[in-house]
Amino acid sequence: MILERLKNLREDNDLLQKQVADELKIPERTYGNYELGVRRIPLELLIELAIFYNTSTDYLLGLTNEKAPYERAKEIKTNSLL
């Protein structure tokens, strides 16, 4: 589920894997391997992806179909392409 959702979110925002990888400060190949399921996504990166896409980790993991994020305990600022 997470692989499909990551790819869909990226494509829905007209982003390339390289752009997402650059935003996360990881190699493009590493990010590509996350989307392919070759590598597991570290928890910290999963959280960064949820913030980047303005969604919840529950949505990324397939635990909910609601894309809208939960209210965060504190505002987290990111340098986002979105």
Side-chain angles (χ1 to χ4, degrees), residues 17-18 21 26-36 38-39:
Q17 286 183 348
K18 178 169 180 23
I26 61 173
E28 179 182 357
R29 183 179 184 130
T30 300
Y31 180 79
N33 285 335
Y34 292 147
E35 275 194 14
L36 291 172
V38 174
R39 294 184 68 163

PDB file of all heavy atoms in Angstrom, residues 17-18 21 26-36 38-39:
ATOM      1  N   GLN A  17      11.109  11.600  -9.074  1.00  0.00           N
ATOM      2  CA  GLN A  17      11.764  10.972  -7.927  1.00  0.00           C
ATOM      3  C   GLN A  17      12.953  11.804  -7.467  1.00  0.00           C
ATOM      4  O   GLN A  17      13.190  11.946  -6.277  1.00  0.00           O
ATOM      5  CB  GLN A  17      12.217   9.553  -8.265  1.00  0.00           C
ATOM      6  CG  GLN A  17      11.092   8.567  -8.350  1.00  0.00           C
ATOM      7  CD  GLN A  17      11.581   7.154  -8.617  1.00  0.00           C
ATOM      8  OE1 GLN A  17      12.745   6.932  -8.957  1.00  0.00           O
ATOM      9  NE2 GLN A  17      10.689   6.196  -8.471  1.00  0.00           N
ATOM     10  N   LYS A  18      13.703  12.349  -8.407  1.00  0.00           N
ATOM     11  CA  LYS A  18      14.864  13.166  -8.063  1.00  0.00           C
ATOM     12  C   LYS A  18      14.472  14.375  -7.223  1.00  0.00           C
ATOM     13  O   LYS A  18      15.166  14.728  -6.266  1.00  0.00           O
ATOM     14  CB  LYS A  18      15.596  13.623  -9.327  1.00  0.00           C
ATOM     15  CG  LYS A  18      16.787  14.517  -8.994  1.00  0.00           C
ATOM     16  CD  LYS A  18      17.671  14.768 -10.156  1.00  0.00           C
ATOM     17  CE  LYS A  18      18.859  15.643  -9.883  1.00  0.00           C
ATOM     18  NZ  LYS A  18      19.356  15.763  -8.551  1.00  0.00           N
ATOM     19  N   ALA A  21      13.683  13.138  -3.738  1.00  0.00           N
ATOM     20  CA  ALA A  21      14.944  12.732  -3.102  1.00  0.00           C
ATOM     21  C   ALA A  21      15.759  13.947  -2.681  1.00  0.00           C
ATOM     22  O   ALA A  21      16.306  13.983  -1.570  1.00  0.00           O
ATOM     23  CB  ALA A  21      15.746  11.850  -4.059  1.00  0.00           C
ATOM     24  N   ILE A  26      18.370  12.774   0.200  1.00  0.00           N
ATOM     25  CA  ILE A  26      18.815  11.391   0.031  1.00  0.00           C
ATOM     26  C   ILE A  26      19.095  11.177  -1.453  1.00  0.00           C
ATOM     27  O   ILE A  26      18.582  11.922  -2.297  1.00  0.00           O
ATOM     28  CB  ILE A  26      17.773  10.370   0.541  1.00  0.00           C
ATOM     29  CG1 ILE A  26      16.443  10.496  -0.232  1.00  0.00           C
ATOM     30  CG2 ILE A  26      17.554  10.502   2.043  1.00  0.00           C
ATOM     31  CD1 ILE A  26      15.430   9.420   0.095  1.00  0.00           C
ATOM     32  N   PRO A  27      19.879  10.149  -1.796  1.00  0.00           N
ATOM     33  CA  PRO A  27      20.132   9.870  -3.210  1.00  0.00           C
ATOM     34  C   PRO A  27      18.851   9.462  -3.949  1.00  0.00           C
ATOM     35  O   PRO A  27      17.974   8.808  -3.376  1.00  0.00           O
ATOM     36  CB  PRO A  27      21.133   8.709  -3.177  1.00  0.00           C
ATOM     37  CG  PRO A  27      21.751   8.761  -1.819  1.00  0.00           C
ATOM     38  CD  PRO A  27      20.685   9.304  -0.915  1.00  0.00           C
ATOM     39  N   GLU A  28      18.773   9.852  -5.220  1.00  0.00           N
ATOM     40  CA  GLU A  28      17.601   9.505  -6.033  1.00  0.00           C
ATOM     41  C   GLU A  28      17.398   7.993  -6.084  1.00  0.00           C
ATOM     42  O   GLU A  28      16.275   7.505  -6.000  1.00  0.00           O
ATOM     43  CB  GLU A  28      17.785  10.058  -7.443  1.00  0.00           C
ATOM     44  CG  GLU A  28      16.643   9.727  -8.382  1.00  0.00           C
ATOM     45  CD  GLU A  28      16.868  10.238  -9.791  1.00  0.00           C
ATOM     46  OE1 GLU A  28      17.890  10.912 -10.048  1.00  0.00           O
ATOM     47  OE2 GLU A  28      16.018   9.949 -10.643  1.00  0.00           O
ATOM     48  N   ARG A  29      18.484   7.261  -6.208  1.00  0.00           N
ATOM     49  CA  ARG A  29      18.388   5.797  -6.275  1.00  0.00           C
ATOM     50  C   ARG A  29      17.763   5.218  -4.997  1.00  0.00           C
ATOM     51  O   ARG A  29      16.962   4.287  -5.042  1.00  0.00           O
ATOM     52  CB  ARG A  29      19.772   5.215  -6.515  1.00  0.00           C
ATOM     53  CG  ARG A  29      19.779   3.731  -6.659  1.00  0.00           C
ATOM     54  CD  ARG A  29      21.205   3.242  -6.923  1.00  0.00           C
ATOM     55  NE  ARG A  29      21.179   1.822  -7.157  1.00  0.00           N
ATOM     56  CZ  ARG A  29      21.757   1.235  -8.173  1.00  0.00           C
ATOM     57  NH1 ARG A  29      22.407   1.945  -9.052  1.00  0.00           N
ATOM     58  NH2 ARG A  29      21.704  -0.069  -8.305  1.00  0.00           N
ATOM     59  N   THR A  30      18.135   5.779  -3.870  1.00  0.00           N
ATOM     60  CA  THR A  30      17.579   5.322  -2.590  1.00  0.00           C
ATOM     61  C   THR A  30      16.075   5.548  -2.568  1.00  0.00           C
ATOM     62  O   THR A  30      15.303   4.654  -2.205  1.00  0.00           O
ATOM     63  CB  THR A  30      18.246   6.052  -1.412  1.00  0.00           C
ATOM     64  OG1 THR A  30      19.646   5.774  -1.444  1.00  0.00           O
ATOM     65  CG2 THR A  30      17.670   5.617  -0.078  1.00  0.00           C
ATOM     66  N   TYR A  31      15.649   6.762  -2.971  1.00  0.00           N
ATOM     67  CA  TYR A  31      14.218   7.033  -2.981  1.00  0.00           C
ATOM     68  C   TYR A  31      13.494   6.105  -3.956  1.00  0.00           C
ATOM     69  O   TYR A  31      12.427   5.575  -3.649  1.00  0.00           O
ATOM     70  CB  TYR A  31      13.915   8.497  -3.333  1.00  0.00           C
ATOM     71  CG  TYR A  31      12.435   8.734  -3.327  1.00  0.00           C
ATOM     72  CD1 TYR A  31      11.764   8.903  -2.124  1.00  0.00           C
ATOM     73  CD2 TYR A  31      11.694   8.705  -4.500  1.00  0.00           C
ATOM     74  CE1 TYR A  31      10.386   9.061  -2.093  1.00  0.00           C
ATOM     75  CE2 TYR A  31      10.319   8.861  -4.477  1.00  0.00           C
ATOM     76  CZ  TYR A  31       9.677   9.036  -3.277  1.00  0.00           C
ATOM     77  OH  TYR A  31       8.315   9.164  -3.247  1.00  0.00           O
ATOM     78  N   GLY A  32      14.083   5.900  -5.124  1.00  0.00           N
ATOM     79  CA  GLY A  32      13.490   4.991  -6.103  1.00  0.00           C
ATOM     80  C   GLY A  32      13.313   3.593  -5.530  1.00  0.00           C
ATOM     81  O   GLY A  32      12.296   2.935  -5.763  1.00  0.00           O
ATOM     82  N   ASN A  33      14.297   3.149  -4.766  1.00  0.00           N
ATOM     83  CA  ASN A  33      14.208   1.832  -4.132  1.00  0.00           C
ATOM     84  C   ASN A  33      13.110   1.776  -3.075  1.00  0.00           C
ATOM     85  O   ASN A  33      12.523   0.721  -2.844  1.00  0.00           O
ATOM     86  CB  ASN A  33      15.554   1.428  -3.533  1.00  0.00           C
ATOM     87  CG  ASN A  33      16.544   1.009  -4.593  1.00  0.00           C
ATOM     88  OD1 ASN A  33      16.177   0.571  -5.679  1.00  0.00           O
ATOM     89  ND2 ASN A  33      17.826   1.151  -4.293  1.00  0.00           N
ATOM     90  N   TYR A  34      12.831   2.898  -2.428  1.00  0.00           N
ATOM     91  CA  TYR A  34      11.704   2.939  -1.488  1.00  0.00           C
ATOM     92  C   TYR A  34      10.392   2.744  -2.239  1.00  0.00           C
ATOM     93  O   TYR A  34       9.531   1.981  -1.815  1.00  0.00           O
ATOM     94  CB  TYR A  34      11.655   4.266  -0.724  1.00  0.00           C
ATOM     95  CG  TYR A  34      12.787   4.493   0.246  1.00  0.00           C
ATOM     96  CD1 TYR A  34      13.262   5.774   0.478  1.00  0.00           C
ATOM     97  CD2 TYR A  34      13.377   3.449   0.946  1.00  0.00           C
ATOM     98  CE1 TYR A  34      14.292   6.014   1.381  1.00  0.00           C
ATOM     99  CE2 TYR A  34      14.410   3.676   1.842  1.00  0.00           C
ATOM    100  CZ  TYR A  34      14.863   4.960   2.050  1.00  0.00           C
ATOM    101  OH  TYR A  34      15.880   5.183   2.931  1.00  0.00           O
ATOM    102  N   GLU A  35      10.234   3.448  -3.362  1.00  0.00           N
ATOM    103  CA  GLU A  35       8.996   3.325  -4.147  1.00  0.00           C
ATOM    104  C   GLU A  35       8.832   1.923  -4.725  1.00  0.00           C
ATOM    105  O   GLU A  35       7.716   1.449  -4.889  1.00  0.00           O
ATOM    106  CB  GLU A  35       8.960   4.352  -5.285  1.00  0.00           C
ATOM    107  CG  GLU A  35       8.442   5.685  -4.869  1.00  0.00           C
ATOM    108  CD  GLU A  35       8.083   6.582  -6.050  1.00  0.00           C
ATOM    109  OE1 GLU A  35       7.973   6.110  -7.198  1.00  0.00           O
ATOM    110  OE2 GLU A  35       7.914   7.794  -5.813  1.00  0.00           O
ATOM    111  N   LEU A  36       9.934   1.260  -5.042  1.00  0.00           N
ATOM    112  CA  LEU A  36       9.880  -0.084  -5.604  1.00  0.00           C
ATOM    113  C   LEU A  36       9.733  -1.168  -4.530  1.00  0.00           C
ATOM    114  O   LEU A  36       9.473  -2.317  -4.849  1.00  0.00           O
ATOM    115  CB  LEU A  36      11.141  -0.367  -6.428  1.00  0.00           C
ATOM    116  CG  LEU A  36      11.284   0.421  -7.722  1.00  0.00           C
ATOM    117  CD1 LEU A  36      12.665   0.187  -8.328  1.00  0.00           C
ATOM    118  CD2 LEU A  36      10.184   0.042  -8.698  1.00  0.00           C
ATOM    119  N   VAL A  38      12.227  -2.146  -2.653  1.00  0.00           N
ATOM    120  CA  VAL A  38      13.516  -2.816  -2.524  1.00  0.00           C
ATOM    121  C   VAL A  38      14.133  -2.521  -1.157  1.00  0.00           C
ATOM    122  O   VAL A  38      14.799  -3.369  -0.580  1.00  0.00           O
ATOM    123  CB  VAL A  38      14.474  -2.374  -3.659  1.00  0.00           C
ATOM    124  CG1 VAL A  38      15.869  -2.947  -3.480  1.00  0.00           C
ATOM    125  CG2 VAL A  38      13.889  -2.770  -5.011  1.00  0.00           C
ATOM    126  N   ARG A  39      13.891  -1.312  -0.662  1.00  0.00           N
ATOM    127  CA  ARG A  39      14.396  -0.897   0.649  1.00  0.00           C
ATOM    128  C   ARG A  39      13.227  -0.485   1.531  1.00  0.00           C
ATOM    129  O   ARG A  39      12.236   0.053   1.045  1.00  0.00           O
ATOM    130  CB  ARG A  39      15.335   0.299   0.517  1.00  0.00           C
ATOM    131  CG  ARG A  39      16.613  -0.019  -0.218  1.00  0.00           C
ATOM    132  CD  ARG A  39      17.525   1.158  -0.241  1.00  0.00           C
ATOM    133  NE  ARG A  39      18.005   1.428   1.116  1.00  0.00           N
ATOM    134  CZ  ARG A  39      19.055   2.172   1.377  1.00  0.00           C
ATOM    135  NH1 ARG A  39      19.730   2.745   0.408  1.00  0.00           N
ATOM    136  NH2 ARG A  39      19.437   2.380   2.612  1.00  0.00           N
TER     137      ARG A  39
END
